[in-house]
Amino acid sequence: MRRAAVLRVVLIGIVVGAVTTAIAIFVPWLPDQGSEQADDYDFVFWFVTAICLAIFAIVAAVSIYSVWKFRAKPDDDSDGPPIHGHTGLEITWTAVPFVLVTAIAIVSTVALARSERLSDDHMTVEVLAQQFTWMFTYPDHDDLASGTLRLPVGVPVELKMRSRDVIHSFFVPEFRVKRDVVPGEEQRIVVTPSKIGEYSLACYELCGLGHFGMRNRVLVLEQAAFDRWAERQQQAVAGPGEEGGKAVFEEQGCGSCHALADAGSTGELGPSLDRLQEQADDAGRPLEEFVRESIVNPDAYVEPGFSADVMPETFDDLPEQQLDALVEYLVQQAGSGGGS
Ligand code: CUA
C-alpha cells in the first residue's frame, strides 16, 4: 500500500520532470553565444535551471498526488488529524536547500572570477553612458571616439564605463556580461568577442523617457578590418578639416537626428544642419561659436519647434581634435550655401 503510493508520486514526478525539461531544452531561451565568457555564464544558467527543474518536479508530484488522494468529500466538514511535525523531514528540507544554494554560490563565484580575468594583450575601450546614448573612446588609438562599439574578434577587451547622469546598464545579450553603470564610479567589464557580426547594445536600466531608444550598434570585426577602420578614422581626423569632420559626423551618428545634404542624412529629430547660418542669426551668435556651443552645450539655444534635453550632452567629451574637425566641417557646409 505505502509502496504503491511512493511509486505513484515518483511516476507523476517523472512525467512532470520530463515535460518541463523538454520545455527548457527545446525552446531556444538564450541568444547565440558571441563571447568567450558566454560558456561560463550559460553553465551557471543551466546549473540553476537543472536544480529548479528537479525541485519543481518533486513539489509538483507531491502536490498533485495529495490533491487527488486526500481530497475531502463534499459533505466532510471534520478537521484533519493533528500533526506534531517530523524531525527527519525538517532536517531534510533545511539541509538540501543549504547545500544547493551553497553550490550555486560557488559555481557563480568561479564563473564571475574567470570572466573578469584579463590577459596582458588586452585592449581598452572607455564607455560613456548618458541619457540617452552611449559613446565609446579608444585610448589605444589616439582617443578615437565613436557612437558604434567596434571590437576586433578574439581580443580581450576591458570596458571602462562611466555615467554622466543616472544609472544605466550595459548589456549585449550575445556577450552575456552585464553591468550597471553608476554615476560617480568607474565600472569595468571584460569581454572577448568570439564571433564576427553585428549586435545591439541596449540600456537595461530604466533611466528616463528616452530609455527605450538608448541602443547603439556593436560591430565585431576581423582584426585587419578593425585596424583599417581605426587607421582611416585617425587619418581623416588628422587630415584636412572638412574630410575629418565628415568622418566624425558619420562616426557619431549625427545624421540619425539631423539632416545634412553633404552627408546625405535626412534625420528630423533635430534641426536641419543645412540651415545653420540662419539659426546662428536667430540666436544672435557668430556662426562658428554657435556651432561649437550647440554641440557641447546643446540646450544653450534651442531652435523653435524642437525640444530641449533631446540632444545628448556627451559630445563635450569628444576629443578636442575631433570636435574641432566637426565644427570646421559644419561651418564650411553652412558657408557653402546649404551644402549644395
Ligand atoms: Cu540608459 Cu536606460
Side-chain angles (χ1 to χ4, degrees):
M1 183 65 193
R2 228 180 123 177
R3 264 188 68 183
V6 171
L7 204 69
R8 283 195 184 111
V9 172
V10 170
L11 221 70
I12 299 171
I14 289 173
V15 172
V16 171
V19 171
T20 46
T21 302
I23 293 172
I25 291 176
F26 292 113
V27 176
W29 298 105
L30 300 176
D32 288 347
Q33 293 187 346
S35 79
E36 286 173 15
Q37 284 77 12
D39 262 338
D40 281 345
Y41 282 85
D42 287 2
F43 177 76
V44 175
F45 177 83
W46 286 114
F47 183 75
V48 175
T49 303
I51 291 174
C52 294
L53 288 171
I55 291 180
F56 181 79
I58 293 169
V59 172
V62 173
S63 307
I64 291 170
Y65 180 78
S66 304
V67 165
W68 164 61
K69 179 79 183 170
F70 305 116
R71 186 180 175 81
K73 309 231 161 18
D75 55 348
D76 181 4
D77 288 334
S78 62
D79 291 335
I83 293 172
H84 282 283
H86 189 294
T87 312
L89 261 184
E90 282 175 24
I91 289 174
T92 308
W93 73 49
T94 309
V96 171
F98 175 78
V99 170
L100 294 180
V101 171
T102 308
I104 293 172
I106 292 171
V107 168
S108 309
T109 308
V110 170
L112 203 59
R114 277 167 54 102
S115 87
E116 286 185 351
R117 268 201 309 234
L118 194 58
S119 54
D120 288 336
D121 58 348
H122 71 273
M123 192 178 107
T124 300
V125 179
E126 284 164 10
V127 179
L128 181 65
Q130 192 209 323
Q131 290 168 321
F132 298 98
T133 190
W134 303 89
M135 180 150 116
F136 312 98
T137 313
Y138 297 79
D140 306 336
H141 296 88
D142 281 353
D143 279 342
L144 200 62
S146 174
T148 298
L149 178 57
R150 281 183 179 73
L151 300 171
V153 69
V155 178
V157 180
E158 181 184 32
L159 298 170
K160 292 183 168 173
M161 310 193 285
R162 288 180 299 126
S163 165
R164 285 182 62 123
D165 36 43
V166 298
I167 302 177
H168 304 275
S169 184
F170 179 101
F171 187 41
V172 178
E174 288 82 358
F175 291 170
R176 300 296 193 273
V177 288
K178 181 178 184 211
R179 186 71 31 99
D180 277 7
V181 189
V182 182
E185 51 188 79
E186 186 182 270
Q187 303 290 331
R188 62 184 282 283
I189 209 171
V190 176
V191 65
T192 313
S194 61
K195 217 164 121 193
I196 290 171
E198 177 170 347
Y199 306 96
S200 172
L201 157 64
C203 174
Y204 275 73
E205 182 76 52
L206 183 59
C207 55
L209 271 181
H211 161 72
F212 71 93
M214 192 164 164
R215 285 168 177 271
N216 291 52
R217 277 204 314 162
V218 178
L219 292 176
V220 175
L221 312 164
E222 210 71 82
Q223 177 77 56
F226 176 84
D227 291 340
R228 268 201 306 278
W229 166 76
E231 203 178 316
R232 240 195 352 254
Q233 284 295 315
Q234 278 168 280
Q235 270 172 5
V237 172
E242 185 160 4
E243 201 181 307
K246 190 169 179 180
V248 175
F249 182 92
E250 283 164 359
E251 206 45 52
Q252 293 297 330
C254 307
S256 58
C257 293
H258 295 283
L260 182 63
D262 184 65
S265 69
T266 55
E268 289 182 344
L269 205 58
S272 161
L273 302 182
D274 291 318
R275 297 176 37 249
L276 278 172
Q277 184 63 63
E278 233 172 280
Q279 293 155 15
D281 293 344
D282 289 345
R285 307 287 299 274
L287 179 62
E288 185 179 341
E289 200 182 300
F290 171 74
V291 171
R292 184 176 294 270
E293 174 157 64
S294 297
I295 294 170
V296 299
N297 183 15
D299 291 339
Y301 169 80
V302 178
E303 175 78 355
F306 295 90
S307 320
D309 293 330
V310 173
M311 167 132 163
E313 284 170 23
T314 32
F315 301 110
D316 78 353
D317 265 36
L318 264 182
E320 201 60 35
Q321 202 182 21
Q322 294 169 55
L323 178 61
D324 289 346
L326 181 60
V327 172
E328 192 180 330
Y329 172 59
L330 292 174
V331 167
Q332 263 169 4
Q333 287 310 307
S336 69
S340 53

